[in-house]
Amino acid sequence: MIDYVAKVNDNNLNKSFVEKIAAQWSRANVRTVREAMFVAREEKRKRDDQKQSPVKKTNRPRRTAERVHHEVVPEWMKGKNHETKDKVSEEEARKRAKWLEDYLNSI
């Protein structure tokens, strides 16, 4: 196993890598050198296949058009006259300004 790890990993013995391979061989019930070499060849073949045929990404269009948020306006708001709201707000602003002026003058 150490020889295999050294060959695969450029003559570097990385403890975690050795432990991973040992655990993999243990799960595969590897007991002989022939079994170990068979498992190692299969892993190399899998890695080579992955390198040759990378996972293709599907080019699906984004669904931004479906995700556009449309604001729902309630029925009671549709019939209101917006001009009266503006007039009320102007009157309210005048009242507040007068109150604030009176308050500041009293201080």
Side-chain angles (χ1 to χ4, degrees), residues 27-64:
R27 285 190 302 270
N29 290 328
V30 173
R31 300 288 177 225
T32 64
V33 175
R34 286 184 190 216
E35 292 173 350
M37 292 307 294
F38 178 75
V39 171
R41 283 190 192 114
E42 287 297 314
E43 285 298 316
K44 183 173 181 354
R45 185 185 57 78
K46 286 180 186 177
R47 272 185 289 153
D48 290 343
D49 287 346
Q50 287 178 352
K51 286 180 183 177
Q52 290 176 357
S53 61
V55 177
K56 294 181 181 178
K57 294 182 180 178
T58 57
N59 292 331
R60 288 185 283 163
R62 292 186 178 188
R63 296 180 183 181
T64 55

Side-chain angles (χ1 to χ4, degrees), residues 3 5-14:
D3 182 52
V5 171
K7 285 181 182 178
V8 170
N9 206 16
D10 295 328
N11 291 327
N12 291 327
L13 288 178
N14 189 349

